[in-house]
């Protein structure tokens, strides 16, 4: 089932490839002279781990690209076997000891080692649960559903519901998923037990501690932001829900159910606003105004159009930063194509302009940073002046479209809030997962959940990826506010604004999202700018 975060209800998964610039052995050995705690052999081992991590990451991202875009069978099991000496708890514990040494000296090298340790820990987790994930994949791989004489592949069911106008068929198709979801939940519980055991071995007191560290998020701080956002947007959200849902789906707010969600988000009724434009041409014209000629990047490969093999999702693959960046966007027609392409190219520009050359600061940093850049570019399409100047909408059309977009984004962000609140409890050893999930989502989204949706609770729990998206949404709004104030209402066609963004992109993944906010001149991460922006969209 879909998380409903990115355009076309997909998470824009960021596959990070490692092109390692290995720190010289001599440099590391020189650090050894300040302490007797770390043996020379351990420093040498660190160099070897970094080099091997480069190769491992390279093969994994190449495998992901081939599976997703070429329809090839995954080589993950074979790759995992060849790197089994890298992805070990012993290596993780070694890196932790060396990291602690550098922390005492307050050296930047300690931060790089921490990122490397977290990378190996996540890799170790993935290896530990690989058999469970294979079971999950098999649970729906060959399952077909029969509805009104039509045979439907399980994995296509959700995509079909985005365009199925017959509500009765949507409901029956949704209900047909229930048996496989119950089976998948059984597997998810086993997977969770395996994760808990591994993380306890590595010294984490609760499962929550690892994803919080991995995503570099203060859970308590973000929880306060989430509650602030939900409280501030309650009235606007429910008001727009009652207005927009009937316009798009013909269903009143009181009658709305989960199987209507994907159909609502797709909203084909707004496609005609964009029908005179080609996504890549409009994006190219936009970037040119910022002083960026997308055709000039020999390192950028854009794979656009209908995808008949592999996975029909939009993904950016930084294969070799900044020399080989690949973007795959299956264009299916309609207004969502524009947002999807803009979002993924936002990721690509971040990688193309980075001046970092250290492995960790290119590939292993705070994922909320690159998501913020992707949302920043995507939401050019929600700017009233942009819609007038580039899309050619009149004032009435702009007002109508922006009220729809305000509602969609409110539902999107609030859904992310619900996921984060649920994950925080889930990874703190909750037992009543399904009932907790239902309570949180019903309170936040405002419509009753079915048994099918109740069974999706584990499907939506993705180790606090929700925290990345939430902070990215907040920061993107803050950056957009600064761009508008500094470079005017037409900031999206200002070369000075483009220079400002290039400077930020140059940091790669060196900065946490909080530090980036400071460097960018927008202060601390806060939902306030997003709250103001969404209200302005609704009132335009």
């Amino acid at each position: 089932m879909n998380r409903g975060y990115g355009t076309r209800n997909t998470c824009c998964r960021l596959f990070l490839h490692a092109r390692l610039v290995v720190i010289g052995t001599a440099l590391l050995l020189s650090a050894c002279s300040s302490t007797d705690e770390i043996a020379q052999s351990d420093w040498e081992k660190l160099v070897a781990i970094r080099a091997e991590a480069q190769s491992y990451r390279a093969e994994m991202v190449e495998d992901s690209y081939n599976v997703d875009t070429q329809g090839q069978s995954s080589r993950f099991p074979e790759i995992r076997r060849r790197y089994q000496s890298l992805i070990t708890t012993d290596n993780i514990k070694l890196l932790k000891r060396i990291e602690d040494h550098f922390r005492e000296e307050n050296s930047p090298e300690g931060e790089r080692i921490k990122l490397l340790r977290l990378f190996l820990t996540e890799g170790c987790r993935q290896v530990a649960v690989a058999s469970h994930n294979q079971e999950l994949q098999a649970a729906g791989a060959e399952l077909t559903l029969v509805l009104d004489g039509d045979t439907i592949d399980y994995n296509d069911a959700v995509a079909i519901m985005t365009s199925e106008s017959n509500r009765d068929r949507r409901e029956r198709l949704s209900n047909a998923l229930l048996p496989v979801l119950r089976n998948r939940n059984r597997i998810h519980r086993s997977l969770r037990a395996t994760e808990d055991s591994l993380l306890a071995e590595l010294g984490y007191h609760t499962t929550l501690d690892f994803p919080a560290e991995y995503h570099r998020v203060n859970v308590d701080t973000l929880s306060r932001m989430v509650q602030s956002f939900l409280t501030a947007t309650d009235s606007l959200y429910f008001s727009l829900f009652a207005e927009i849902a009937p316009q798009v789906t013909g269903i009143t707010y009181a009658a709305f159910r989960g199987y209507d969600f994907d159909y609502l988000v797709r909203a084909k009724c707004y496609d005609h606003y964009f029908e005179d434009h080609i996504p890549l041409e409009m994006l190219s014209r936009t970037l040119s105004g910022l002083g960026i000629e997308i055709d000039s990047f020999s390192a950028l490969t854009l794979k656009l159009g209908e995808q008949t093999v592999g996975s029909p999702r939009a993904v950016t693959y930084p294969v070799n930063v900044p020399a080989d960046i690949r973007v795959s966007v299956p264009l299916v027609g309609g207004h969502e194509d524009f947002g999807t392409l803009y979002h993924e190219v936002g990721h690509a520009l971040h990688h193309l302009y980075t001046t970092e050359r250290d492995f960790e600061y290119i590939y292993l940093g705070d994922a909320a940073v690159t998501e913020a850049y992707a949302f920043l570019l995507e939401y050019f399409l929600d700017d009233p002046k942009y819609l007038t100047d580039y899309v050619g909408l009149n004032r009435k059309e702009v007002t109508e479209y922006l009220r729809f977009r305000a509602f969609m984004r409110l539902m999107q962000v609030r859904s992310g809030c619900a996921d984060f609140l649920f994950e925080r409890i889930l990874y703190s050893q909750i037992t009543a997962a399904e009932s907790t999930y239902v309570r949180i989502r019903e309170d936040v989204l405002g419509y009753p959940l079915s048994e099918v949706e109740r069974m999706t609770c584990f499907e939506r729990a993705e180790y606090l990826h929700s925290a990345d998206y939430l902070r990215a949404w907040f920061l993107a709004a803050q950056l957009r506010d600064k761009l508008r104030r500094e470079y005017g209402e037409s900031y999206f066609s200002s070369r000075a604004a483009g220079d400002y963004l290039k400077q930020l992109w140059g940091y790669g993944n060196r900065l946490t999202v909080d530090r980036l906010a400071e460097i960018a001149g927008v202060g601390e991460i806060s939902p306030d700018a997003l709250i103001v922006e969404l209200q302005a969209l609704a009132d335009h």
Side-chain angles (χ1 to χ4, degrees), residues 303-493:
K303 181 179 174 61
L304 310 179
E306 184 178 358
Q307 191 164 310
T308 58
V309 297
S311 175
R313 63 185 171 197
V315 184
T316 298
Y317 304 85
V319 177
N320 184 359
V321 175
D324 185 0
I325 312 299
R326 306 175 194 178
V327 173
S328 175
V329 178
L331 301 178
V332 297
H335 64 94
E336 280 197 307
D337 283 347
F338 292 81
T340 305
L341 177 61
Y342 279 46
H343 185 102
E344 294 307 319
V345 171
H347 285 305
L349 292 173
H350 174 209
H351 302 304
L352 288 165
Y353 279 101
T354 183
T355 57
E356 293 290 342
R357 292 297 177 265
D358 290 333
F359 164 48
E360 295 88 345
Y361 293 149
I362 296 175
Y363 304 102
L364 305 185
D366 194 335
V369 169
T370 192
E371 289 298 340
Y373 295 139
F375 284 126
L376 178 65
L377 193 60
E378 177 185 346
Y379 294 147
F380 279 10
L381 292 157
D382 290 346
D383 187 285
K385 188 165 179 54
Y386 186 90
L387 291 172
T388 300
D389 293 354
Y390 282 81
V391 186
L393 302 190
N394 61 41
R395 181 171 179 82
K396 180 177 180 298
E397 291 170 332
V398 168
T399 298
E400 180 184 55
Y401 183 67
L402 288 183
R403 284 188 71 79
F404 163 72
R405 287 297 301 156
F407 172 55
M408 283 293 94
R409 287 175 58 187
L410 275 167
M411 179 175 272
Q412 182 184 54
V413 178
R414 288 172 70 93
S415 181
C417 290
D419 284 338
F420 173 75
L421 295 174
F422 170 67
E423 286 181 298
R424 180 180 186 181
I425 299 174
L426 176 68
Y427 297 131
S428 299
Q429 312 303 321
I430 187 177
T431 55
E434 290 92 342
S435 60
T436 301
Y437 175 76
V438 169
R439 173 180 58 78
I440 291 174
R441 288 192 74 77
E442 287 187 343
D443 286 347
V444 171
L445 296 181
Y447 59 86
L449 269 63
S450 67
E451 181 66 13
V452 172
E453 292 166 288
R454 173 187 173 94
M455 288 294 106
T456 65
C457 62
F458 291 113
E459 305 282 325
R460 296 188 65 89
E462 292 187 351
Y463 254 59
L464 288 187
H465 279 291
S466 55
D468 292 338
Y469 285 94
L470 288 167
R471 292 175 298 157
W473 280 317
F474 299 159
L475 177 58
Q478 292 174 274
L479 289 173
R480 195 159 34 253
D481 178 62
K482 179 178 176 63
L483 287 170
R484 189 175 286 109
R485 286 186 286 104
E486 294 286 334
Y487 306 106
E489 293 298 313
S490 297
Y491 65 89
F492 43 76
S493 58

Side-chain angles (χ1 to χ4, degrees), residues 1 3 9 54-55 57 65 72-73 76 84 105 124 145 157 197 335 357 365 370 426 485 489 518 520 525 528:
M1 304 295 283
R3 294 180 68 85
N9 276 347
Q54 172 189 6
S55 300
R57 194 53 143 172
Y65 179 79
Q72 297 182 11
S73 298
F76 175 67
Q84 59 185 348
E105 296 185 353
C124 201
L145 311 173
S197 176
H335 64 94
R357 292 297 177 265
T370 192
L426 176 68
R485 286 186 286 104
E489 293 298 313
E518 295 178 18
I525 297 288
D528 294 347

